[in-house]
């Protein structure tokens, strides 16, 4: 297991080398897809703030941190997305990192839960709420607090907003794709559908704010350059990771799931999509 690190002491500041490592926040990084994101990003020299419910139970993540290309490029932070207090406390710790000059380029909201089965005709109030708190409300409020925290530090020369906010959603939440034979996924699908709709609103609200800021910036500039450029725009994405062999997918189903892939392939392909999306602002 890697040596325990103190988060705010370990994350290196951006350096002026030819390779510009990006910094990522990954919410839900202890296992599965979130762990694999951390592994691939740290292996290529990026910086990762890996956020987990319980750092003491994240043995695989500590190991991944220890194998990072750049020693100290990964730090672990605590946050249970179903607890508002945890989200606010994480935002406060994030302020400390920003104050030290850390710039966040990408945020991945990956935490999720699937308690199978979760049928609309059977699910308890508590289990339905658990899906909604973990898969919808938690990720949205987390993203909101991270954005607010970064915005409170922003100025053209200090901390720009993150370039990309990426929600790991699911095709189960698609409004157009309803697979009638996939019994037992009602609450999970509903939680991802609600996530999709909410993040569309988030994207639209961010775009409107950016347009208003650009308009304000142009008014203030007489014959000079507009400081807030189009390529500062923040891109909000929802990704379906594929059918991925993780703990979440380890359930006995009455039907054959086709095309199951391993987490490394899922993350490799998602990183390609993330890089292309929003690349032109
Ligand atoms: P896993 O069950 O392997 O991992 C889930 C991750 O979410 C764990 O790190 C877990 O942490 C974390 N998590 C759960 N609840 C909370 C919480 N309250 N606060 C913070 N973190 C939490 O699932 P996957 O890796 O497969 O799933 C990752 C994402 O991908 C999810 O959003 C899922 O819905 C989505 N997805 C997955 C698919 C698949 O086929 N696997 C298909 C479509 C979408 P802990 O270790 O503490 O429990």
């Amino acid at each position: 297991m890697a040596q325990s690190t103190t988060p705010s002491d370990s994350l290196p500041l951006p350096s002026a080398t030819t390779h510009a490592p990006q910094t990522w926040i990954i919410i839900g990084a202890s296992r599965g897809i979130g762990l694999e994101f951390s592994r691939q990003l740290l292996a290529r020299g990026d910086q990762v703030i890996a956020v987990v419910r319980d750092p003491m139970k994240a043995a695989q993540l500590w190991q991944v941190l220890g194998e990072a290309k750049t020693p100290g490029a990964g730090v672990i932070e605590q946050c249970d997305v179903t607890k508002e207090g945890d989200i606010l406390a994480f935002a406060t710790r994030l302020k400390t990192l920003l104050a030290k000059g850390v710039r966040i380029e990408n945020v991945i909201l990956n935490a999720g839960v699937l308690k199978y089965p979760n049928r609309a005709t059977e699910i308890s109030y508590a289990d339905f709420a658990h899906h909604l708190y973990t898969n919808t409300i938690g990720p949205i409020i987390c993203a909101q607090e991270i954005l607010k925290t970064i915005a409170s530090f922003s100025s053209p020369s200090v901390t720009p907003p993150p370039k990309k906010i990426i929600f790991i959603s699911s095709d189960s939440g698609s409004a157009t794709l309803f697979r009638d034979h996939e019994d037992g996924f009602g609450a999970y699908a509903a939680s991802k559908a609600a996530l999709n709709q909410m993040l569309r609103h988030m994207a639209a609200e961010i775009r409107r704010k950016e347009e208003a800021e650009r308009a304000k910036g142009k008014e203030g500039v007489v014959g000079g350059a507009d400081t807030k450029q189009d390529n500062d725009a923040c891109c909000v994405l929802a990704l379906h990771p594929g059918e991925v062999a993780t703990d979440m997918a380890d359930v006995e189903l009455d039907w054959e799931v086709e095309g199951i892939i391993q987490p490394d392939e899922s993350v490799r392909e998602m990183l390609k999509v993330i890089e292309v999306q929003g690349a032109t602002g």
Side-chain angles (χ1 to χ4, degrees), residues 144-278:
Q144 185 196 111
E145 287 302 327
I146 290 168
L147 284 169
K148 276 198 253 174
T149 303
I150 293 173
S152 71
F153 270 84
S154 284
S155 83
S157 60
V158 186
T159 308
K163 293 283 284 179
K164 290 170 192 170
I165 309 286
I166 302 121
F167 290 88
I168 306 303
S169 186
S170 167
D171 65 354
S172 324
S174 163
T176 50
L177 184 76
F178 182 70
R179 291 185 293 244
D180 195 25
H181 67 284
E182 293 189 358
D183 175 43
F185 283 90
Y188 178 77
S191 67
K192 292 292 188 179
L195 174 70
N196 291 348
Q197 199 65 342
M198 196 61 167
L199 67 88
R200 291 168 89 176
H201 280 268
M202 180 175 275
E205 289 164 26
I206 291 173
R207 194 188 60 240
R208 277 194 287 272
K209 268 193 200 149
E210 287 175 342
E211 282 168 4
E213 275 173 32
R214 265 197 294 277
K216 217 162 65 183
K218 276 180 186 145
E219 270 171 28
V221 176
V222 184
D226 175 10
T227 49
K228 179 95 181 135
Q229 300 295 322
D230 274 2
N231 58 11
D232 285 341
C234 176
C235 171
V236 179
L237 295 177
L239 297 181
H240 170 61
E243 304 302 331
V244 192
T246 62
D247 295 344
M248 184 177 284
D250 192 18
V251 284
E252 287 274 320
L253 299 171
D254 292 338
W255 69 90
E256 189 74 22
V257 180
E258 287 170 10
I260 292 199
I261 56 175
Q262 294 303 313
D264 63 334
E265 182 183 355
S266 167
V267 167
R268 217 172 29 249
E269 294 306 313
M270 282 194 282
L271 284 174
K272 286 185 199 161
V273 175
I274 292 167
E275 262 144 41
V276 170
Q277 292 294 320

Side-chain angles (χ1 to χ4, degrees), residues 27-35 51-54 57-58 79-83 86 109-114 130 133-135 139 167-172 188 192 195 239-250 257 260-261 263 270:
I27 308 285
S30 59
R31 334 180 244 126
I33 293 168
L35 176 71
V51 185
V52 299
R53 267 199 292 199
D54 186 349
K57 291 187 183 157
C79 178
D80 180 332
V81 301
T82 64
K83 295 183 178 152
D86 276 15
L109 290 307
N110 170 77
V113 77
L114 165 68
H130 186 50
Y133 277 118
T134 313
N135 298 347
F167 290 88
I168 306 303
S169 186
S170 167
D171 65 354
S172 324
Y188 178 77
K192 292 292 188 179
L195 174 70
L239 297 181
H240 170 61
E243 304 302 331
V244 192
T246 62
D247 295 344
M248 184 177 284
D250 192 18
V257 180
I260 292 199
I261 56 175
M270 282 194 282

Side-chain angles (χ1 to χ4, degrees), residues 94-111:
L94 182 58
K95 263 186 208 160
T96 311
L97 293 174
L98 296 175
K100 292 184 173 188
V102 172
R103 296 165 75 140
I104 308 298
E105 276 99 6
N106 308 282
V107 182
I108 301 184
L109 290 307
N110 170 77

